Amino acid sequence: MTGTLVILATAYASTTLENDIKSQNTDRFLRYRGVPKCLLPISGRPALSWWYDEARAIYSNIYIVATAHSYKHFERWASGHSFPKENILNSGFSEGAISDISFVHRVKDINDDLSIVPADLLFDNSRGHQLLETLKANGESRVIYHIPEHGDDPRIHRIAVAANSDLLTKEDATDARKLLICPVAFVIRHDRLTQLEPYLRKVHQDAKQVVSGDNTVVSLEKDIFNFYEQEEDVKAIEVDYVTAHGYLNPRVTLKEYLEKWEKLLNSNIPPRSPENYPHHKEEPIVTRSFARVGLMGNPSDGFYGKTMSLLISNFWAEVTLIPNPLSQVEYTTISILPNPVADPHLFSSIESMAVISETDGYDNGDRLLQACCKVFFTHCKKNAIAINTKQGFSVLFETNIPRQVGLAGSSAIISAFWKTLLKFYGVTDKQIPLPLQASLVLSAEQDELGISAGLQDRVIQAYGGLVFMDFGKQQVDQYGYGKYERLNMDNLPPLWLAYVADPKDSGKVHSSVRQRFANGEPAVVEAMRQFAQFTTDAKDALEQRDHKRFAELMSSNFNLRRAVYGDAALGNANLRMIELAKEYNCVAKFPGSGGAIVGMWNGSDASSRSEDLRDLRWALEKEGFVYVEIVPNAGEV
């Protein structure tokens, strides 16, 4: 026998403590509203966590039986304890302990002795280990029980104790049938499991429904002793195994919880110090990732093409990571703090909420950070990259990159956080090479969040500066990334950027072309080949400092894009910016998926350059566009 433990979390009524918390409207308790009592913190950890660590070393199989109301809470708990999700069983709504146990037996086809405990059983680790070992090893049907001070536990039906119980005094024994007590734990031998369903059928035939107000209580909840009434070898295990069994009492109040239970196991927490936590970090980590402009070849980066991209200092996303202090009880936790502008959680009024929702949509930055964490951790775990997960942190981001204009704002947030995680966990570029880092950041957006994107943004934000990128199909399919080459930024002509002040969703431009490419439409396939060739030619032009040729290629890039996507997809505002650029001796193209243009002066008389750019700026601003001179960035913060 390998040993199987069943944890019953099938309360059909809220406890006094849970109800007391619901009556509190302060920040301290709002986070615990609706949380089952067994998952409330005891000395900084859910009560269940303290003894689960002991149980997992003793039992090969552990199952938690939850209700339809509590299932999600236990699923969340499991995610932080390496507990298999498939071992959390949703029983709907409980009809009693025996019914719940039968449910586990049916669903998991168990042929093993079952140890059963309530989910809010609380004890210190040493005694808990002794209790669980006894339950597993005894090989007999046994019941552990205690006499509660106040009433009974509604999750496990009260047991009518036999008059000869050795836990009762002589005085109590004279009226034992009227005395009701709570079981702390019990064991059902594997050879009795097949009798559960016949027992329940018989009980069901005899059952009567008792209606009380709006609640219907079905008398299927028969106590453990009734199931064992023919079992002569049912014996009691001394209650001394459990030192904190009083937490089982469903009438524990919030006041009692705060005074007695909340810090009960503080002595079990080893004191933290820099000596026994040598990897502890104290200083905040601040990183930035900058906006980018696609100078040539886009949008072929998503179609096995070639692109040239430039990182710019004008706009950035900044991430601040604040390590948890040694004194923090919940030392391992990770908290994402809201950004009041980019990720608002507070609105001045319902009208403000409606206006902001209409303007900015409903996507939030929290999901970007969450997806980045998931991809980072999964990759480290899969590739045996050791990271210290004992210390957690709080993290927040802020960004001034214009939204939805194709300047890689979302990937900048993820890239900045990625750099922060590398620093916090001490992971080097040797352990995760830059090309692979870019692919992993793309995975956070594309695979985790379903955001349509290409590699270009993540590559330039990983490398910085000016980069030539070759996304040849064979290379990308084999390695998951392309071939990247840093170019000399000094060879660039002066560049400017204009964008729509009130943009729409920039990702919509790609929608139909991707499907046409996947279908092998000759015009689209050939266009992507031409975009790639423009990039190769532009690289040569820059190396020769042939800015006239570079300008011609920028125009060709835009004209081809217009032919492939059509004016309707490009949008009137974007086309208008291009027209204005032409009026003032400039060439321009999209730096991303739409909403902005990147351009350069291309006149014949150098003396008119400043005047042309000034007039272009005024013309753009008059029509509601924003104009900025581009400041290239080599990748430094």
Side-chain angles (χ1 to χ4, degrees), residues 322-342:
I322 306 168
N324 291 342
L326 285 169
S327 59
Q328 183 167 321
V329 175
E330 297 171 321
Y331 184 65
T332 63
T333 60
I334 292 176
S335 175
I336 298 177
L337 306 177
N339 178 286
V341 175

PDB file of all heavy atoms in Angstrom, residues 322-342:
ATOM      1  N   ILE A 322      10.832  45.640  -6.492  1.00  0.00           N
ATOM      2  CA  ILE A 322      11.189  45.890  -5.096  1.00  0.00           C
ATOM      3  C   ILE A 322      11.244  44.552  -4.357  1.00  0.00           C
ATOM      4  O   ILE A 322      10.203  43.922  -4.122  1.00  0.00           O
ATOM      5  CB  ILE A 322      10.163  46.822  -4.427  1.00  0.00           C
ATOM      6  CG1 ILE A 322      10.001  48.110  -5.253  1.00  0.00           C
ATOM      7  CG2 ILE A 322      10.566  47.140  -2.996  1.00  0.00           C
ATOM      8  CD1 ILE A 322       8.816  48.953  -4.854  1.00  0.00           C
ATOM      9  N   PRO A 323      12.440  44.068  -4.006  1.00  0.00           N
ATOM     10  CA  PRO A 323      12.545  42.769  -3.324  1.00  0.00           C
ATOM     11  C   PRO A 323      11.826  42.784  -1.978  1.00  0.00           C
ATOM     12  O   PRO A 323      11.810  43.804  -1.275  1.00  0.00           O
ATOM     13  CB  PRO A 323      14.057  42.593  -3.143  1.00  0.00           C
ATOM     14  CG  PRO A 323      14.681  43.499  -4.154  1.00  0.00           C
ATOM     15  CD  PRO A 323      13.753  44.678  -4.261  1.00  0.00           C
ATOM     16  N   ASN A 324      11.228  41.667  -1.618  1.00  0.00           N
ATOM     17  CA  ASN A 324      10.591  41.552  -0.306  1.00  0.00           C
ATOM     18  C   ASN A 324      11.654  41.594   0.796  1.00  0.00           C
ATOM     19  O   ASN A 324      12.702  40.947   0.683  1.00  0.00           O
ATOM     20  CB  ASN A 324       9.804  40.240  -0.203  1.00  0.00           C
ATOM     21  CG  ASN A 324       8.588  40.236  -1.095  1.00  0.00           C
ATOM     22  OD1 ASN A 324       8.122  41.276  -1.537  1.00  0.00           O
ATOM     23  ND2 ASN A 324       8.067  39.051  -1.385  1.00  0.00           N
ATOM     24  N   PRO A 325      11.400  42.334   1.873  1.00  0.00           N
ATOM     25  CA  PRO A 325      12.361  42.381   2.978  1.00  0.00           C
ATOM     26  C   PRO A 325      12.363  41.076   3.769  1.00  0.00           C
ATOM     27  O   PRO A 325      11.382  40.311   3.745  1.00  0.00           O
ATOM     28  CB  PRO A 325      11.848  43.536   3.825  1.00  0.00           C
ATOM     29  CG  PRO A 325      10.384  43.617   3.527  1.00  0.00           C
ATOM     30  CD  PRO A 325      10.235  43.208   2.089  1.00  0.00           C
ATOM     31  N   LEU A 326      13.444  40.814   4.466  1.00  0.00           N
ATOM     32  CA  LEU A 326      13.550  39.607   5.282  1.00  0.00           C
ATOM     33  C   LEU A 326      12.469  39.545   6.341  1.00  0.00           C
ATOM     34  O   LEU A 326      12.048  38.458   6.763  1.00  0.00           O
ATOM     35  CB  LEU A 326      14.931  39.531   5.944  1.00  0.00           C
ATOM     36  CG  LEU A 326      16.104  39.148   5.039  1.00  0.00           C
ATOM     37  CD1 LEU A 326      17.419  39.383   5.755  1.00  0.00           C
ATOM     38  CD2 LEU A 326      15.980  37.693   4.609  1.00  0.00           C
ATOM     39  N   SER A 327      11.995  40.686   6.794  1.00  0.00           N
ATOM     40  CA  SER A 327      10.996  40.732   7.852  1.00  0.00           C
ATOM     41  C   SER A 327       9.588  40.417   7.365  1.00  0.00           C
ATOM     42  O   SER A 327       8.686  40.208   8.178  1.00  0.00           O
ATOM     43  CB  SER A 327      10.995  42.115   8.512  1.00  0.00           C
ATOM     44  OG  SER A 327      10.705  43.115   7.535  1.00  0.00           O
ATOM     45  N   GLN A 328       9.390  40.374   6.062  1.00  0.00           N
ATOM     46  CA  GLN A 328       8.047  40.141   5.535  1.00  0.00           C
ATOM     47  C   GLN A 328       7.644  38.695   5.758  1.00  0.00           C
ATOM     48  O   GLN A 328       8.360  37.768   5.368  1.00  0.00           O
ATOM     49  CB  GLN A 328       7.991  40.479   4.042  1.00  0.00           C
ATOM     50  CG  GLN A 328       6.596  40.318   3.429  1.00  0.00           C
ATOM     51  CD  GLN A 328       6.502  40.949   2.041  1.00  0.00           C
ATOM     52  OE1 GLN A 328       7.062  42.008   1.799  1.00  0.00           O
ATOM     53  NE2 GLN A 328       5.799  40.286   1.140  1.00  0.00           N
ATOM     54  N   VAL A 329       6.491  38.491   6.377  1.00  0.00           N
ATOM     55  CA  VAL A 329       6.043  37.131   6.685  1.00  0.00           C
ATOM     56  C   VAL A 329       5.845  36.340   5.396  1.00  0.00           C
ATOM     57  O   VAL A 329       6.325  35.215   5.255  1.00  0.00           O
ATOM     58  CB  VAL A 329       4.732  37.178   7.498  1.00  0.00           C
ATOM     59  CG1 VAL A 329       4.196  35.771   7.702  1.00  0.00           C
ATOM     60  CG2 VAL A 329       4.975  37.853   8.842  1.00  0.00           C
ATOM     61  N   GLU A 330       5.156  36.930   4.433  1.00  0.00           N
ATOM     62  CA  GLU A 330       4.919  36.250   3.155  1.00  0.00           C
ATOM     63  C   GLU A 330       6.088  36.561   2.227  1.00  0.00           C
ATOM     64  O   GLU A 330       5.982  37.291   1.245  1.00  0.00           O
ATOM     65  CB  GLU A 330       3.581  36.712   2.572  1.00  0.00           C
ATOM     66  CG  GLU A 330       2.396  36.340   3.449  1.00  0.00           C
ATOM     67  CD  GLU A 330       1.094  36.984   2.990  1.00  0.00           C
ATOM     68  OE1 GLU A 330       1.116  38.155   2.574  1.00  0.00           O
ATOM     69  OE2 GLU A 330       0.060  36.304   3.062  1.00  0.00           O
ATOM     70  N   TYR A 331       7.214  35.975   2.533  1.00  0.00           N
ATOM     71  CA  TYR A 331       8.489  36.334   1.914  1.00  0.00           C
ATOM     72  C   TYR A 331       8.559  35.937   0.443  1.00  0.00           C
ATOM     73  O   TYR A 331       9.255  36.572  -0.344  1.00  0.00           O
ATOM     74  CB  TYR A 331       9.611  35.658   2.709  1.00  0.00           C
ATOM     75  CG  TYR A 331      11.013  35.989   2.278  1.00  0.00           C
ATOM     76  CD1 TYR A 331      11.518  37.283   2.397  1.00  0.00           C
ATOM     77  CD2 TYR A 331      11.853  34.997   1.778  1.00  0.00           C
ATOM     78  CE1 TYR A 331      12.821  37.582   2.016  1.00  0.00           C
ATOM     79  CE2 TYR A 331      13.154  35.285   1.401  1.00  0.00           C
ATOM     80  CZ  TYR A 331      13.632  36.575   1.522  1.00  0.00           C
ATOM     81  OH  TYR A 331      14.927  36.866   1.147  1.00  0.00           O
ATOM     82  N   THR A 332       7.861  34.880   0.061  1.00  0.00           N
ATOM     83  CA  THR A 332       7.982  34.361  -1.310  1.00  0.00           C
ATOM     84  C   THR A 332       6.987  34.992  -2.278  1.00  0.00           C
ATOM     85  O   THR A 332       7.055  34.732  -3.479  1.00  0.00           O
ATOM     86  CB  THR A 332       7.757  32.840  -1.335  1.00  0.00           C
ATOM     87  OG1 THR A 332       6.420  32.552  -0.913  1.00  0.00           O
ATOM     88  CG2 THR A 332       8.745  32.128  -0.430  1.00  0.00           C
ATOM     89  N   THR A 333       6.077  35.815  -1.781  1.00  0.00           N
ATOM     90  CA  THR A 333       4.983  36.283  -2.632  1.00  0.00           C
ATOM     91  C   THR A 333       5.456  37.282  -3.686  1.00  0.00           C
ATOM     92  O   THR A 333       6.433  38.006  -3.504  1.00  0.00           O
ATOM     93  CB  THR A 333       3.885  36.955  -1.789  1.00  0.00           C
ATOM     94  OG1 THR A 333       4.445  38.068  -1.094  1.00  0.00           O
ATOM     95  CG2 THR A 333       3.283  35.977  -0.802  1.00  0.00           C
ATOM     96  N   ILE A 334       4.716  37.306  -4.784  1.00  0.00           N
ATOM     97  CA  ILE A 334       4.950  38.266  -5.860  1.00  0.00           C
ATOM     98  C   ILE A 334       3.697  39.102  -6.012  1.00  0.00           C
ATOM     99  O   ILE A 334       2.584  38.572  -6.128  1.00  0.00           O
ATOM    100  CB  ILE A 334       5.299  37.558  -7.178  1.00  0.00           C
ATOM    101  CG1 ILE A 334       6.667  36.871  -7.056  1.00  0.00           C
ATOM    102  CG2 ILE A 334       5.291  38.536  -8.349  1.00  0.00           C
ATOM    103  CD1 ILE A 334       7.057  36.064  -8.262  1.00  0.00           C
ATOM    104  N   SER A 335       3.868  40.417  -6.012  1.00  0.00           N
ATOM    105  CA  SER A 335       2.742  41.344  -6.092  1.00  0.00           C
ATOM    106  C   SER A 335       2.936  42.282  -7.279  1.00  0.00           C
ATOM    107  O   SER A 335       3.988  42.906  -7.419  1.00  0.00           O
ATOM    108  CB  SER A 335       2.623  42.149  -4.789  1.00  0.00           C
ATOM    109  OG  SER A 335       1.613  43.130  -4.894  1.00  0.00           O
ATOM    110  N   ILE A 336       1.924  42.370  -8.148  1.00  0.00           N
ATOM    111  CA  ILE A 336       1.935  43.302  -9.264  1.00  0.00           C
ATOM    112  C   ILE A 336       1.157  44.541  -8.843  1.00  0.00           C
ATOM    113  O   ILE A 336      -0.038  44.470  -8.560  1.00  0.00           O
ATOM    114  CB  ILE A 336       1.319  42.679 -10.523  1.00  0.00           C
ATOM    115  CG1 ILE A 336       2.136  41.454 -10.962  1.00  0.00           C
ATOM    116  CG2 ILE A 336       1.259  43.697 -11.661  1.00  0.00           C
ATOM    117  CD1 ILE A 336       1.546  40.720 -12.163  1.00  0.00           C
ATOM    118  N   LEU A 337       1.841  45.659  -8.766  1.00  0.00           N
ATOM    119  CA  LEU A 337       1.220  46.904  -8.327  1.00  0.00           C
ATOM    120  C   LEU A 337       0.640  47.644  -9.528  1.00  0.00           C
ATOM    121  O   LEU A 337       1.275  47.714 -10.585  1.00  0.00           O
ATOM    122  CB  LEU A 337       2.245  47.787  -7.612  1.00  0.00           C
ATOM    123  CG  LEU A 337       2.994  47.119  -6.449  1.00  0.00           C
ATOM    124  CD1 LEU A 337       4.036  48.073  -5.878  1.00  0.00           C
ATOM    125  CD2 LEU A 337       2.021  46.673  -5.369  1.00  0.00           C
ATOM    126  N   PRO A 338      -0.558  48.200  -9.399  1.00  0.00           N
ATOM    127  CA  PRO A 338      -1.194  48.853 -10.548  1.00  0.00           C
ATOM    128  C   PRO A 338      -0.526  50.166 -10.913  1.00  0.00           C
ATOM    129  O   PRO A 338      -0.013  50.886 -10.048  1.00  0.00           O
ATOM    130  CB  PRO A 338      -2.634  49.070 -10.076  1.00  0.00           C
ATOM    131  CG  PRO A 338      -2.532  49.155  -8.584  1.00  0.00           C
ATOM    132  CD  PRO A 338      -1.424  48.212  -8.207  1.00  0.00           C
ATOM    133  N   ASN A 339      -0.534  50.463 -12.204  1.00  0.00           N
ATOM    134  CA  ASN A 339      -0.079  51.759 -12.692  1.00  0.00           C
ATOM    135  C   ASN A 339      -1.296  52.640 -12.887  1.00  0.00           C
ATOM    136  O   ASN A 339      -2.235  52.259 -13.582  1.00  0.00           O
ATOM    137  CB  ASN A 339       0.670  51.585 -14.020  1.00  0.00           C
ATOM    138  CG  ASN A 339       1.125  52.903 -14.613  1.00  0.00           C
ATOM    139  OD1 ASN A 339       0.330  53.671 -15.144  1.00  0.00           O
ATOM    140  ND2 ASN A 339       2.414  53.166 -14.527  1.00  0.00           N
ATOM    141  N   PRO A 340      -1.332  53.817 -12.261  1.00  0.00           N
ATOM    142  CA  PRO A 340      -2.550  54.632 -12.273  1.00  0.00           C
ATOM    143  C   PRO A 340      -2.961  55.126 -13.655  1.00  0.00           C
ATOM    144  O   PRO A 340      -4.134  55.435 -13.872  1.00  0.00           O
ATOM    145  CB  PRO A 340      -2.222  55.807 -11.344  1.00  0.00           C
ATOM    146  CG  PRO A 340      -0.732  55.866 -11.331  1.00  0.00           C
ATOM    147  CD  PRO A 340      -0.255  54.457 -11.477  1.00  0.00           C
ATOM    148  N   VAL A 341      -2.016  55.217 -14.600  1.00  0.00           N
ATOM    149  CA  VAL A 341      -2.350  55.704 -15.941  1.00  0.00           C
ATOM    150  C   VAL A 341      -2.439  54.556 -16.937  1.00  0.00           C
ATOM    151  O   VAL A 341      -3.446  54.375 -17.609  1.00  0.00           O
ATOM    152  CB  VAL A 341      -1.307  56.743 -16.418  1.00  0.00           C
ATOM    153  CG1 VAL A 341      -1.593  57.148 -17.869  1.00  0.00           C
ATOM    154  CG2 VAL A 341      -1.338  57.972 -15.519  1.00  0.00           C
ATOM    155  N   ALA A 342      -1.358  53.765 -17.020  1.00  0.00           N
ATOM    156  CA  ALA A 342      -1.321  52.698 -18.010  1.00  0.00           C
ATOM    157  C   ALA A 342      -2.191  51.515 -17.618  1.00  0.00           C
ATOM    158  O   ALA A 342      -2.634  50.750 -18.477  1.00  0.00           O
ATOM    159  CB  ALA A 342       0.119  52.234 -18.221  1.00  0.00           C
TER     160      ALA A 342
END
